Amino acid sequence: DNMPISQASFLPKGILIDLDGTLADSRLNISMEAKNILSALQKHIPVSLCTGRLFAALYSSIMPLFPPTRVHIVAGGGQLVQSDGTILWESKIPSSQIKEVAEHVDRLGSGFVFGQGQTLYCNSKVIGKFQTHPWNFRVGLPNTLSDWSSPLLSIIDLNEFVISYIQSIEDLHVQKMISSHGRSYFDITALGVEKGFAAKKWSSHYKIDLSSISAVGDNLNDLGLLNEVGHKVVVRTAPQEVLEIADEIIAPPEDGGIAQYLQNTLDSIS
C-alpha cells in the first residue's frame, strides 16, 4: 500500500489535534502513553485540541492534560478557549435561535445539548446518558436559563422528522456527523464557523505561521483544518476524501497512532 509516510521530515512549531477518533479512542479513552508524551512535548511547542466538542464536555477530564493557559479550538471552531475556561474569542448562536431549534427538536422526540461554561444543558430525554458519561459532565436542564446562547448546539437520538427539520434550517451552519459508535447526529454552529477558520485565529495567537503547523484529524469536519496547515496527519480509518489530502497517515488511537506520532515529533525536536 502506498501510504504517505514522512515522519520527522516536517518539524511543526505547533500541533492541533482532533479529539474523538484521533487522540481518544472509540471508548473515549486516551492512552497513558499518549498522555505522557503529550505532557513532554508541550514543554517544547504548543499542542492544542481542535474539536467539535463543547468546552463543558472537556473541562473535568480532558483539559487537565494541558497547561492552564493553553489555547484550544472547541465547539467545531466556534470558540477559542484556554484549558482553564477563559474564553479568548467565540461566535455564538443567539439565545432565541437555540431556544427555537431546541424546543422544536424536543417536541419531535429527539435530544439536544448545548454548553455554557462548565455546564452542558440538554433535554430530559437524553440527560441520563450525559449524567453517566465517563468524562464526568456537569449537566443541567435549560428550563431555568434566561440566556440559551452557545457556540454549538448538537442534535442527537435522531428520527426522520427531526432529520428533515434540521436539514431545512438555512440561517445556521449544520453539519451531519457520525459518532464513534456509528450513530448520526448534527452539530449546529453560527454561519461561517468551522475548524479551519478558527485555526487562523489560533496561529495568530501563538504567532506561528499556518505553514509551520501540523494538524491531526480523522473526519470530514477536519477537512477545513487540514487544508489550512503545513502538514496534514490523518488517521487511517478516516473517510477516503480526508485520506486523499494526507501528508502522513497514522494508526487509530487504539493502535497507538497518535502516541507514536507525538513521540516521533518529540524525538525530532528535543
Side-chain angles (χ1 to χ4, degrees):
D1 54 11
N2 56 352
M3 284 193 173
I5 298 293
S6 53
Q7 287 153 352
S9 60
F10 184 89
L11 290 185
K13 293 182 178 157
I15 304 179
L16 285 165
I17 306 179
D18 169 61
L19 181 57
D20 292 79
T22 303
L23 183 59
D25 65 27
S26 59
R27 294 187 312 281
L28 305 177
N29 293 322
I30 300 174
S31 73
M32 205 62 229
E33 186 190 11
K35 288 179 182 176
N36 291 337
I37 300 161
L38 188 60
S39 172
L41 186 55
Q42 298 191 74
K43 297 179 175 67
H44 301 275
I45 57 171
V47 183
S48 300
L49 293 173
C50 186
T51 174
R53 286 191 183 259
L54 286 151
F55 176 80
L58 310 167
Y59 173 70
S60 70
S61 295
I62 306 300
M63 287 305 176
L65 303 175
F66 297 89
T69 58
R70 173 69 70 240
V71 176
H72 307 274
I73 297 167
V74 302
Q79 192 178 67
L80 260 70
V81 63
Q82 292 182 174
S83 311
D84 63 11
T86 307
I87 296 168
L88 303 191
W89 172 87
E90 62 182 345
S91 176
K92 288 201 289 194
I93 305 170
S95 176
S96 58
Q97 273 184 298
I98 288 201
K99 202 164 184 181
E100 181 189 342
V101 173
E103 287 176 345
H104 201 80
V105 164
D106 186 57
R107 281 196 298 275
L108 291 173
S110 286
F112 68 79
V113 57
F114 63 92
Q116 292 179 357
Q118 298 166 18
T119 307
L120 289 174
Y121 293 97
C122 60
N123 53 339
S124 50
K125 182 184 193 312
V126 293
I127 195 166
K129 129 179 351 183
F130 290 111
Q131 285 169 330
T132 56
H133 195 281
W135 290 352
N136 304 317
F137 296 158
R138 180 190 294 183
V139 190
L141 296 168
N143 315 17
T144 55
L145 287 179
S146 55
D147 173 19
W148 290 36
S149 64
S150 177
L152 175 82
L153 173 67
S154 292
I155 310 300
I156 61 176
D157 282 12
L158 304 177
N159 60 49
E160 57 182 316
F161 304 108
V162 164
I163 290 170
S164 67
Y165 165 62
I166 296 298
Q167 288 174 334
S168 74
I169 296 172
E170 291 181 351
D171 51 356
L172 292 167
H173 179 244
V174 174
Q175 180 136 26
K176 191 167 190 188
M177 309 283 286
I178 308 283
S179 77
S180 57
H181 304 291
R183 285 193 284 270
S184 295
Y185 64 100
F186 289 103
D187 272 354
I188 303 173
T189 53
L191 286 175
V193 164
E194 54 94 29
K195 287 182 175 185
F197 176 72
K200 294 176 185 172
K201 293 191 170 292
W202 188 88
S203 79
S204 58
H205 173 83
Y206 281 110
K207 300 181 173 56
I208 302 170
D209 201 78
L210 281 161
S211 63
S212 300
I213 293 170
S214 167
V216 195
D218 76 315
N219 220 320
L220 296 172
N221 70 330
D222 298 315
L223 277 171
L225 165 67
L226 294 164
N227 279 317
E228 289 294 342
V229 300
H231 190 64
K232 307 164 179 50
V233 182
V234 176
V235 179
R236 68 166 181 246
T237 51
Q240 189 55 39
E241 58 206 280
V242 187
L243 288 168
E244 277 166 9
I245 64 164
D247 297 312
E248 182 172 346
I249 293 175
I250 63 171
E254 287 85 345
D255 301 330
I258 189 66
Q260 187 62 60
Y261 170 71
L262 294 174
Q263 183 65 60
N264 292 343
T265 306
L266 180 61
D267 292 344
S268 307
I269 62 180
S270 55

